[in-house]
Each structure stands twice: as structure tokens, then as C-alpha cells.
Amino acid sequence: MKKATFPAILSTAIVCYVFWLLITGQLVSLIQGKPAVQQLLAGLIVSIGVALFSARFFIHENPFYLFNPAKFGSLLAYIPVFLVELTKANIDVAKRALSPRLPVNPGIVKVPVGLESEYGQSMLANSITLTPGTITMDVVEQDEKTYYYIHWIDVASEDPEEAGEAIKGTLERGVRRIWK
Amino acid sequence: MTDLLFFAICFMALAFLLIIRLIKGPSVADRAVAADSIDVLTDMALILYALYSGRGIYLDIALVTAILGFIGSTLIAKYLEGKL
Amino acid sequence: MRIVVDILIAFSAFFAFAGVVGMLRMPDSFCRMQSSTNVSTFGVLGVIIGGALYAGFFLGNAEMVVKILLLGVFYIVTSPISGHAIAKGAYRHGVKMTEDAVCDKYGEDME
């Protein structure tokens, strides 16, 4: 287990504190100009404690990477790309489930991934799992390349490159603009 | 106003349909996935009921069930993998 | 405005229905998981957006809007994690795919 650095603890504490503000409804009363000081202080102490305990599980690279405006812009540009893919996949799987013949053709394929950053890899894997019809099952490293095992409901091709292009072509191009 | 209640009842009916899979499911994974989906559908019904009655307290309950459902299904997955 | 909320919620209910039917009909465990993703993406998204619009414009309650959007973000972040964990755990536990499966690269590489 890696040791937690100071930026990791700071960023985890900020995320915890924002979550606390939203969930207790303090943000709304802060904007209206009547903050409850006791609750704000209690949240600050609890979120720093949680961050000291758990930062080493979450942050292993530079946590302030997204503060670069160009990177943040491409993160915002990724959302519509992802929504289009999500809509297409949802309609496809719903059609399969409701059609009387049940046209499924399942299988597990192995697909190469060209991303190096840990955040980028996990973001791509979560995007693949979130689109219905594909689930990432495992991540392995062989010969300094990263591979995903993906369960696919309609196997169109067993060749790694072609299957990769069909499953995650658009998504990976979107993610690569954000992370290396 | 009442249409929110109607949709809440629709979501609950779907959750009751999933109990068939919860009882029948041949493997543990089927049951875990069905329970997770029942959790999601119940949460949607809770959100709609909160909007119908105009009380925010039901949203807190929905948030707690969402967190518990996530922790529960991750725990079952870890147990199935044999790492617990 | 009111009709937009109703359309969004009905859209969400339709996808939840398709997901539930898929979970009852699909041939093996992994295909059922694919249908459960259907419930937890579009089955949730319509209710979240429609509910936030309703709470903002008809109830005028900012705290409820924040909490509903927070629930939506929570679902989007956590549902792939538990789906991934259950799929891997089920495979390691020995759940078999259906006999019509085309290929199984994971099982071949694990031996």
C-alpha cells in the first residue's frame, strides 16, 4: 500500500466537505446568508479525519490534473459523446429484451487499451460497463500492454482490434483527450 | 399531481415482478443482481412519492437505501470471489 | 412544462420495464446483468431529470433539487463498480455462460 501524500489528503478532504455541504443543505443556507457555524465546523473536522484515514485508497497520481482549463473543457465535451453512446446502447438492449425471439449472441472478448493513466483506464472501464450490452470483467497487463476482458451480448467479431473498435472506439477517443 | 403517484405504483409493480427472479434465480449472482435492481426501483418510487407529498425526508431515505444497496452488492461480489 | 416532466418519467418507466422483462427472460446470469444495467441507467436518468425540474419549478424547493441531483450522480458513479465486481465474482465462483456462447477468452486465458 502506497503512503498518502499531502495533495491526496487535501483533495479527498475537499470532496468530502462538498458532499457534507450538499447533503446537510448547508450550501443553500450559506447562499441565503445565514450559515450555521457549528455544523460547518463539525463537517470540517469529520471530513479531515476521513481523508487522513482513506486518501491512500483513492489518489495515486496528481489529483489537481483537471484544473487545467483545456482538460476540463474536454471533460465537458465528453459528456454529450457518452450520452449519445448510452442512448444507442439502451435502445438496442431494450429492443433485444422485448423482441419475441430473444436475439442474443453472448461471449467474452479480449480487447487492447491504449491508455496509460490509472484514472483514464478506470474511467473508460466504467463507461463501458455503464453502456448496456457490455460489461468489463477484468483488467490484465501482458507485455507492457493493457487488456480488458469484456462480456458482450452480441459478439460481432472475435478479433481483438475489430471488437475494440466496435465496443469502445468513440469512447476511447473521447477519454484520450482528457487523460494520457 | 396524481400522475406522480401512478408512476410510483408502476415502479413498485416492476419491483414486485423482480421478486420472481429473486426466488427462482439459479445462482447467487442472479439473486444479488435482482436485489440490487429492486433497490433501484424502490428508490425511484420513493423519489416520486417525495415529490407528490412535497416532503424532503423521503429523499434522505432514498439516499441511505442507495448507499446500503451499493455496499451490500459489492460485499456479496467480494465474497463470491473468495477474498473475504 | 408539466407535460415535459410526465414524458421524462414515462420514458424512464418504459426502460425500467424493458430491463425487468429482460432480467426475467434472458438465458444466463451475465445476460441478465446486461439488462440490469438498462434499469440503472435510463431507468434512473429520466426520473432524476424530471424530478429535479418538478421540484425546482413547481415546488420551489432548492434543497430537494440538490438532493435529487446528488442521488443521480451517486447512481452514475456506483452502478458500474458493483456491476463489474459482481460479474467478476460470479465468473470466479463458477457460474457458467449459456451453451450458445460464441467465445470465452477469459476462461481460456485463466487456465
Side-chain angles (χ1 to χ4, degrees):
Chain A
M1 192 64 71
K2 288 174 189 169
K3 249 178 96 59
T5 52
F6 178 70
I9 293 174
L10 184 67
S11 52
T12 315
I14 290 173
V15 170
C16 289
Y17 196 53
V18 168
F19 195 70
W20 170 279
L21 285 180
L22 290 175
I23 215 167
T24 52
Q26 288 297 310
L27 200 66
V28 178
S29 49
L30 208 64
I31 290 167
Q32 285 166 354
K34 40 181 180 186
V37 181
Q38 252 179 354
Q39 278 203 31
L40 291 178
L41 275 178
L44 193 63
I45 293 168
V46 170
S47 50
I48 288 175
V50 169
L52 281 176
F53 181 68
S54 68
R56 61 202 166 104
F57 300 119
F58 294 126
I59 311 286
H60 295 158
E61 296 169 20
N62 177 17
F64 297 108
Y65 184 75
L66 277 180
F67 276 60
N68 183 344
K71 299 294 175 192
F72 194 71
S74 45
L75 179 66
L76 290 183
Y78 177 67
I79 293 174
V81 174
F82 177 64
L83 277 180
V84 169
E85 289 291 312
L86 190 63
T87 315
K88 274 195 287 188
N90 258 297
I91 291 172
D92 182 56
V93 173
K95 223 187 275 173
R96 274 172 211 282
L98 292 177
S99 86
R101 283 188 304 110
L102 207 63
V104 294
N105 191 15
I108 297 175
V109 291
K110 186 179 181 183
V111 158
V113 176
L115 294 163
E116 284 173 11
S117 147
E118 272 185 25
Y119 299 139
Q121 282 179 14
S122 62
M123 187 169 168
L124 182 61
N126 282 353
S127 302
I128 290 171
T129 309
L130 210 49
T131 48
T134 43
I135 291 183
T136 317
M137 293 184 68
D138 208 349
V139 182
V140 288
E141 285 189 19
Q142 286 175 352
D143 316 328
E144 303 189 344
K145 281 191 77 177
T146 313
Y147 293 94
Y148 287 171
Y149 290 102
I150 295 178
H151 181 270
W152 195 5
I153 202 168
D154 177 31
V155 178
S157 153
E158 291 184 37
D159 179 62
E161 299 291 336
E162 283 178 31
E165 183 58 32
I167 292 174
K168 64 174 175 54
T170 345
L171 294 175
E172 189 176 6
R173 277 189 287 279
V175 173
R176 194 182 306 222
R177 267 182 229 118
I178 310 171
W179 312 98
K180 266 168 272 173
Chain B
M1 208 59 176
T2 42
D3 49 345
L4 292 175
L5 207 55
F6 171 72
F7 281 120
I9 292 171
C10 284
F11 276 103
M12 282 318 290
L14 289 177
F16 273 104
L17 261 181
L18 266 184
I19 291 184
I20 300 173
R21 179 51 71 195
L22 192 66
I23 293 169
K24 211 167 76 175
S27 70
V28 188
D30 283 318
R31 295 202 171 96
V33 172
D36 203 32
S37 295
I38 288 177
D39 195 35
V40 172
L41 291 170
T42 317
D43 277 0
M44 293 305 111
L46 268 173
I47 289 178
L48 291 175
Y49 191 71
L51 293 172
Y52 170 74
S53 66
R55 288 194 196 167
I57 189 82
Y58 293 111
L59 294 179
D60 292 340
I61 301 173
L63 199 60
V64 171
T65 31
I67 292 173
L68 284 180
F70 166 64
I71 293 173
S73 51
T74 315
L75 204 64
I76 292 172
K78 214 156 180 188
Y79 168 71
L80 284 179
E81 214 180 325
K83 281 186 182 169
L84 200 68
Chain C
M1 194 67 213
R2 185 57 205 271
I3 197 85
V4 175
V5 174
D6 272 358
I7 289 173
L8 279 169
I9 296 175
F11 173 82
S12 181
F14 170 73
F15 277 100
F17 173 72
V20 169
V21 170
M23 282 182 79
L24 292 177
R25 285 184 69 205
M26 289 283 183
D28 71 343
S29 303
F30 297 101
C31 294
R32 279 176 215 137
M33 281 170 209
Q34 308 280 17
S35 273
S36 94
T37 332
N38 215 331
V39 174
S40 64
T41 52
F42 263 29
V44 168
L45 216 60
V47 172
I48 295 295
I49 297 173
L53 285 177
Y54 185 85
F57 286 104
F58 294 96
L59 299 179
N61 192 338
E63 213 179 303
M64 275 173 83
V65 177
V66 169
K67 270 181 193 161
I68 291 177
L69 291 179
L70 202 65
L71 257 170
V73 171
F74 187 80
Y75 273 117
I76 295 295
V77 171
T78 58
S79 87
I81 298 173
S82 62
H84 161 89
I86 286 188
K88 190 178 168 188
Y91 198 95
R92 291 282 175 88
H93 188 245
V95 174
K96 289 278 177 284
M97 299 213 304
T98 172
E99 286 172 5
D100 307 335
V102 180
C103 55
D104 183 4
K105 297 278 167 62
Y106 195 40
E108 286 166 20
D109 286 2
M110 216 153 50
E111 284 159 10

